[in-house]
Amino acid sequence: MFSKRRLTAGVACFSLLGIWLMAAEVDSGTMRQRAAKAEKEGNFKNALTDYQKLALDPKDEPALVSDDLTHAIQCLRQLNRVDEIDDFREKVIETHKANWRLLQTAAATFLQGDSQGYIVAGKFYRGYRRGEGRYVYTLPRDRQRALQLFVQALPLAQDDVDKSAVAEFFNQFAQAWLHGANGDQAWRLQILTDLKELPDYDDTRWSSSGTSGAAVDADGNPVFHQLPATFAAAKSDGERWRWALSQVVAFAPDRKPEISLQFADFLRQQFDVQTMAQYNWFFRGREDDQKQTPTYALDTLGEAETLAKLATGIKRFPLPEEFNFIKIYQAISLESENDWGRQALQRLANLFTDRRQYSQAAEYWKKSIAKYGSNRGEQEALDQIVKNWGRFDHATVFPAGTGPQLEYVFRNGKRVEFEAWEIKVPQLLEDVKAYIKASPNQLDWNKANIQNIGQRLVFERDLKYVGDRVAQWGLDLTPRANHFDRRVTVTTPLQKAGAYLVTAQLADGNISRIIVWVADTVIAKKQLDKQAWYYVADAVTGKPVPQANIEFFGWKQTQVGNTNKYQITTSNF
């Protein structure tokens, strides 16, 4: 038995040990430095232990706990322990529920993390689990949980004296409403999300087809989201988003150009002509003088109207003043002297280019260059509109003796000079065969692909196979007004079979190049049982070519064992 005296001594020793252990405890600053060092060195397990201890400490520094949470989640991801994130995050949220900055950071982690998981025995596990449970998609639930946290933090943030930080809080709050509800999913902003309950985990993903069109009301008119007086007065998520954007400017008036640009970008994404990109075949070029149906004539659109694809189809409609993205961009360009003003001018130039209103687009490029200088490609974009420019359209193989006809598209120019150079096809074929027969360890497909000769001659300027000039001619042009494209058909003097490099030099403009193949013979192939049947015919008449001599050359590439070496076998007969 222990005596009372021995027991007292034992208690004293235990107390001394406790004091020593408390003295050995590191302070939070030292622990944070230790965690950062371990994380940088790739020791994520030790870093996680310290970050979790810091984040779950109710006395953790309010300004630093957000970083502790973020780093802890990063470590869990590095350790492939994603399924532990949710429980840990909710514990941190509960511990620091009065810290609006922590709530804001926690909300952001929901929007940035893995949006998938598995239900196993009734419990959700975030991340991938091979062969276990039922797969679920978490974006709708994660978005809603993030919005709950923003709303929870809202009254706390509004009372903070750091107006700049509060403004950024509202900026992130606004972006959270658009998360998963932008682009072709923007129709979801019509919903007034019930933030009291979280939705169940879903088996299906939100579609991102990009073809649904902007939302419309019962009368078929586009839905515009109004600005409510208060958050509580909002009738939809779209109005909640508008209110959050307005609060950014309320707390940081100097951010008005930035927020206005965000709003205008959203409106343009929903209601401008690029929404009809899938119908580009209908609007493409109009290089001839054919008149477009008035409703769909992009170049006749006024600055107070637009033509866009809505959920009910393509519609031309007026833009209300508050939602006129053109007017908003113009206001930003006049009011802002910094990069936001430059971006607004760039948006306007691209916008009017999309509308085929090239003169207006050129004016905005000129304004941007004059005000900010040309260091972002503005001059190149301007030159493509106002300078002489031309290009060939894609060409097919032409029969010999008919004079191939090429399609040439140009703007502004009044004269073009053409030249045709013979391509040394026999030398090309011999070099390709010799290269393959040499059995290189790594086959360069650009050297082995005969059809790639155009790429090498036109873009890489490999002139090895360019022979003599065989033709030279010119053509007077009549350009269309307002920098519109015009298409003309060019008849070449090429009659002899072969391949030709044809160039078009537009007076005071660019050079365009194309490869033209002229054939006097065609080969038709039909696969039979264990053999092939070939028919050699005249390219013009289709009649068989008697006593035709055909050379066959084939090759195959085989990997040598498990090495990076390959062996090429050829056959030539």
Side-chain angles (χ1 to χ4, degrees):
M1 293 181 63
F2 284 107
S3 67
K4 183 176 181 180
R5 184 174 181 180
R6 288 177 178 175
L7 180 60
T8 303
V11 171
C13 290
F14 182 81
S15 298
L16 289 172
L17 177 62
I19 293 173
W20 180 83
L21 288 173
M22 289 176 64
E25 286 279 342
V26 297
D27 62 84
S28 61
T30 302
M31 185 183 298
R32 192 170 285 107
Q33 292 177 1
R34 184 174 68 188
K37 183 175 183 294
E39 184 180 13
K40 184 177 181 180
E41 295 173 349
N43 191 348
F44 300 109
K45 185 175 181 181
N46 287 354
L48 175 63
T49 299
D50 283 340
Y51 282 132
Q52 285 185 320
K53 188 172 183 179
L54 288 165
L56 291 170
D57 183 359
K59 298 180 180 179
D60 194 12
E61 297 181 53
L64 299 178
V65 65
S66 291
D67 284 342
D68 296 334
L69 170 65
T70 300
H71 283 289
I73 290 177
Q74 290 174 350
C75 289
L76 285 170
R77 290 195 178 112
Q78 290 290 340
L79 294 167
N80 199 25
R81 291 161 58 181
V82 177
D83 57 355
E84 299 178 29
I85 291 176
D86 289 278
D87 288 342
F88 164 67
R89 177 167 46 201
E90 291 299 337
K91 289 178 182 177
V92 176
I93 292 170
E94 178 61 29
T95 302
H96 302 280
K97 57 187 176 183
N99 184 336
W100 69 265
R101 287 177 170 84
L102 180 279
L103 297 176
Q104 174 187 357
T105 299
T109 64
F110 273 100
L111 302 178
Q112 299 163 0
D114 306 85
S115 57
Q116 62 181 2
Y118 288 81
I119 303 291
V120 181
K123 179 175 173 56
F124 170 72
Y125 295 89
R126 190 175 295 274
Y128 178 71
R129 299 176 74 86
R130 179 180 295 179
E132 290 188 73
R134 175 174 63 91
Y135 172 83
V136 290
Y137 180 54
T138 64
L139 188 149
R141 186 181 176 95
D142 290 341
R143 172 180 180 267
Q144 198 148 321
R145 180 64 181 125
L147 291 171
Q148 283 182 337
L149 293 172
F150 274 113
V151 173
Q152 181 180 339
L154 183 57
L156 302 171
Q158 287 175 313
D159 292 336
D160 201 292
V161 296
D162 188 347
K163 303 301 182 185
S164 177
V166 177
E168 181 53 30
F169 165 83
F170 279 108
N171 185 43
Q172 293 188 25
F173 189 23
Q175 299 310 310
W177 291 108
L178 295 183
H179 188 77
N182 206 347
D184 66 309
Q185 295 294 302
W187 61 268
R188 296 182 184 276
L189 293 175
Q190 298 176 95
I191 301 169
L192 184 67
T193 300
D194 182 1
L195 297 177
K196 295 179 182 178
E197 300 290 338
L198 291 176
D200 291 335
Y201 293 105
D202 199 347
D203 293 22
T204 58
R205 288 180 175 271
W206 282 0
S207 170
S208 58
S209 63
T211 60
S212 61
V216 297
D217 60 20
D219 297 323
N221 297 314
V223 173
F224 297 107
H225 304 292
Q226 305 297 325
L227 174 61
T230 64
F231 179 77
K235 299 177 182 179
S236 67
D237 287 355
E239 293 191 5
R240 287 167 163 175
W241 162 66
R242 287 289 313 278
W243 181 83
L245 280 180
S246 71
Q247 293 306 293
V248 179
V249 180
F251 282 90
D254 60 313
R255 295 186 66 172
K256 181 182 177 181
E258 170 197 354
I259 300 305
S260 296
L261 195 73
Q262 283 188 35
F263 182 48
D265 284 348
F266 175 85
L267 294 171
R268 184 186 174 205
Q269 178 194 63
Q270 292 293 302
F271 304 120
D272 203 16
V273 298
Q274 84 286 336
T275 59
M276 303 178 295
Q278 69 187 106
Y279 304 107
N280 64 345
W281 56 269
F282 181 76
F283 295 95
R284 187 190 301 129
R286 311 300 297 179
E287 295 102 352
D288 53 23
D289 291 320
Q290 180 181 351
K291 297 296 183 181
Q292 183 64 274
T293 303
T295 300
Y296 304 112
L298 300 181
D299 54 298
T300 65
L301 283 171
E303 293 186 358
E305 63 177 338
T306 191
L307 180 66
K309 182 179 185 294
L310 305 179
T312 52
I314 296 176
K315 183 174 183 178
R316 187 166 183 154
F317 56 92
L319 287 168
E321 186 74 18
E322 182 182 357
F323 304 97
N324 188 330
F325 45 87
I326 297 178
K327 299 298 183 184
I328 298 173
Y329 287 137
Q330 290 172 337
I332 297 170
S333 70
L334 295 174
E335 297 169 2
S336 177
E337 299 294 330
N338 54 25
D339 193 59
W340 302 118
R342 180 174 204 158
Q343 289 190 47
L345 288 172
Q346 291 173 340
R347 301 286 206 283
L348 287 164
N350 288 319
L351 179 153
F352 283 109
T353 299
D354 289 344
R355 292 180 167 219
R356 300 179 69 240
Q357 299 176 11
Y358 303 117
S359 296
Q360 293 94 315
E363 288 305 310
Y364 281 110
W365 284 127
K366 291 176 183 178
K367 288 180 181 180
S368 179
I369 292 169
K371 192 172 184 179
Y372 300 101
S374 178
N375 60 354
R376 299 188 182 183
E378 291 94 340
Q379 188 63 53
E380 291 81 358
L382 174 61
D383 289 346
Q384 280 208 353
I385 295 175
V386 300
K387 288 190 174 182
N388 298 346
W389 176 89
R391 63 171 173 83
F392 285 110
D393 251 2
H394 175 73
T396 59
V397 179
F398 300 93
T402 60
Q405 291 186 328
L406 305 177
E407 296 296 307
Y408 185 69
V409 181
F410 72 97
R411 68 172 68 113
N412 305 324
K414 296 184 177 180
R415 175 76 182 178
V416 60
E417 300 294 338
F418 297 98
E419 291 183 325
W421 306 78
E422 188 175 25
I423 296 176
K424 302 174 183 177
V425 177
Q427 181 183 339
L428 169 65
L429 295 174
E430 289 302 320
D431 286 354
V432 170
K433 289 192 293 183
Y435 173 71
I436 296 174
K437 286 180 178 179
S439 189
N441 181 45
Q442 291 288 345
L443 189 68
D444 184 348
W445 181 242
N446 288 326
K447 294 182 179 180
N449 183 13
I450 298 173
Q451 294 178 337
N452 197 46
I453 186 63
Q455 172 77 22
R456 292 164 61 179
L457 295 181
V458 174
F459 298 105
E460 300 174 16
R461 306 298 294 135
D462 182 358
L463 303 180
K464 177 180 179 181
Y465 301 107
V466 177
D468 297 333
R469 185 173 61 190
V470 296
Q472 189 175 13
W473 72 103
L475 183 66
D476 290 327
L477 304 172
T478 303
R480 296 177 66 189
N482 301 317
H483 312 295
F484 273 79
D485 289 348
R486 169 162 281 162
R487 177 186 299 270
V488 294
T489 300
V490 180
T491 301
T492 73
L494 306 174
Q495 302 290 328
K496 180 183 175 182
Y500 302 89
L501 171 63
V502 179
T503 65
Q505 171 69 69
L506 197 62
D508 299 321
N510 68 317
I511 299 178
S512 181
R513 301 174 178 86
I514 193 172
I515 303 299
V516 177
W517 290 87
V518 180
D520 60 1
T521 309
V522 295
I523 303 177
K525 176 186 175 182
K526 181 178 181 179
Q527 192 64 40
L528 304 177
D529 183 22
K530 299 180 181 179
Q531 56 185 327
W533 178 85
Y534 292 89
Y535 176 68
V536 184
D538 183 279
V540 178
T541 66
K543 294 180 179 180
V545 176
Q547 304 300 315
N549 180 47
I550 306 175
E551 179 184 359
F552 291 86
F553 179 81
W555 59 274
K556 69 176 180 178
Q557 184 175 239
T558 307
Q559 186 174 6
V560 180
N562 294 322
T563 67
N564 290 328
K565 296 183 178 180
Y566 293 85
Q567 181 178 8
I568 296 178
T569 305
T570 63
S571 179
N572 196 184
F573 59 91

